[in-house]
Every structure is written in C-alpha cells, then in structure tokens.
Amino acid sequence: METDFMTLTRFMLEEQGRCDGATGEMTQLLNAICTAVKAVSSAVRKAGMAKLYGIAGSQNTTGDEQKKLDVLANDVFINMIKSSFTACALVSEENENVILVDVDKAGKYIVTFDPLDGSSNIDCLVSIGSIFGIWKKEHTGNATEADCLQPGSKMVAAGYALFGSATAMVISTGCGVNEFMLDPVGHRDI
C-alpha cells in the first residue's frame, strides 16, 4: 500500500508555496469545493436508499425541473463555499440571482457553478458531475453583480467532478490540469 500519496490539499499547499504573494485563500476555497464534492458524491451513491431520486417541485434558472439531488447539491456547494470565507459572490445554475456573501464573511473570489450537471440522468445510473469556475474580484469594496461578468480569460481556476462508479475531480489553476480520485474507504482523499 502506498504511504506517500498526493491529495488535493497537499497538492494545493505545494503549488501555493511556488506562487509569490499567495495567501492560502485559493487553497482554502478549493478545499471547500472538494468538501462539497465529497458530500455530493456520497449523496449520489445513496440516492435510492435515501429517497433522493425524483422531482423537488421547482425549476432552476434555465427552466429545468429541479431534482431533489439538485437542491441538496446546491445547498451543499453554497454552504461550503460561503463558510470558507474566501468568496464574495456565488453564481449557481440553480439560483435566479447572484448570491452576494455578507461582507464580514466575504473573500476575494467569485465562484460560478452547476452543482449537479446532468442530474436528469440520475435515474438512468449514468455519470453526472459538478462544474465550477473561479475569478478574482478586481477592486476593493463590496462585490456587485457586475463583478460576476468577467470574461473567461480572467478566470483563475476551474474544474469539474464526475460522479459514477468512481469520483474524480479535475482542476486547473492555469498551470496545467490535475486529476484527483476519491477513495471513500481508504485513507486517500481528493
């Protein structure tokens, strides 16, 4: 058994050490997203037993019927990211409006995400996932909806997670692409 393996946290800490001026906020934010991914992965695996299949009775911003897992995944992503104190604004496919984080809990990042992309396929047992993008707020002061309209060329990190027979998380912070696998029964971690 391997005893010296690379986790997402370890990887980000090593990368952070290579960046002049790094504060650790990006590492903290990616750890919050990783925690959300682990929670959603667990919910997806247990969906049938936990009665999480089916319609939640509402629609998202694109007019799709929200599934119970959509609502759960969205709540988990929002709560994990907001509680990391690293984001000032969140944009979710599941919410009509931008979520502006309270100033006393706000950081410098804007996070966009679809917490459970492809959830209409959950009843078919095919892979589904989460996707996210991260931008940095470009000014001091409170975040506004306008801060969320930056071009993709200003993105500082992005990634996705796939939930299926295994859970994989793929991230890029602008210096290549890295993949991490969740080992839910071992000691390894994404």
Side-chain angles (χ1 to χ4, degrees):
M1 180 173 161
E2 188 177 351
T3 60
D4 188 22
F5 43 84
M6 185 62 67
T7 64
L8 174 63
T9 302
R10 181 177 173 186
F11 172 78
M12 288 306 301
L13 288 170
E14 286 181 11
E15 289 297 304
Q16 171 185 314
R18 295 185 184 113
C19 298
D20 292 335
T23 63
E25 271 188 84
M26 176 63 73
T27 300
Q28 192 169 324
L29 175 55
L30 286 171
N31 275 322
I33 292 170
C34 184
T35 300
V37 164
K38 288 187 247 183
V40 171
S41 176
S42 178
V44 167
R45 282 193 319 274
K46 298 173 185 173
M49 295 178 290
K51 297 184 180 5
L52 292 173
Y53 286 139
I55 305 293
S58 54
Q59 291 184 335
N60 66 15
T61 58
T62 61
D64 297 330
E65 296 249 4
Q66 285 184 309
K67 307 285 190 266
K68 292 176 185 177
L69 275 172
D70 286 323
V71 174
L72 174 74
N74 195 50
D75 289 347
V76 167
F77 264 78
I78 291 169
N79 290 330
M80 290 301 102
I81 295 169
K82 284 174 76 173
S83 67
S84 73
F85 292 80
T86 58
C88 56
L90 309 177
V91 180
S92 170
E93 184 199 28
E94 303 301 326
N95 292 77
E96 185 74 29
N97 299 309
V98 172
I99 301 165
L100 297 173
V101 179
D102 294 335
V103 177
D104 59 326
K105 295 181 180 180
K108 61 185 173 189
Y109 293 107
I110 298 156
V111 184
T112 62
F113 56 93
D114 183 344
L116 200 57
D117 193 34
S119 61
S120 60
N121 295 320
I122 189 70
D123 297 337
C124 304
L125 299 176
V126 296
S127 293
I128 55 176
S130 300
I131 55 177
F132 65 91
I134 301 171
W135 287 260
K136 191 184 286 188
K137 184 176 62 154
E138 296 185 314
H139 62 84
T140 58
N142 299 341
T144 66
E145 287 189 19
D147 292 314
C148 302
L149 301 175
Q150 296 182 45
S153 60
K154 293 192 176 190
M155 189 179 287
V156 295
Y160 65 88
L162 285 176
F163 311 113
S165 59
T167 296
M169 186 166 170
V170 178
I171 61 165
S172 176
T173 55
C175 299
V177 177
N178 300 91
E179 179 181 24
F180 301 88
M181 299 296 288
L182 174 63
D183 181 357
V185 293
H187 299 288
R188 298 181 203 196
D189 223 345
I190 58 174

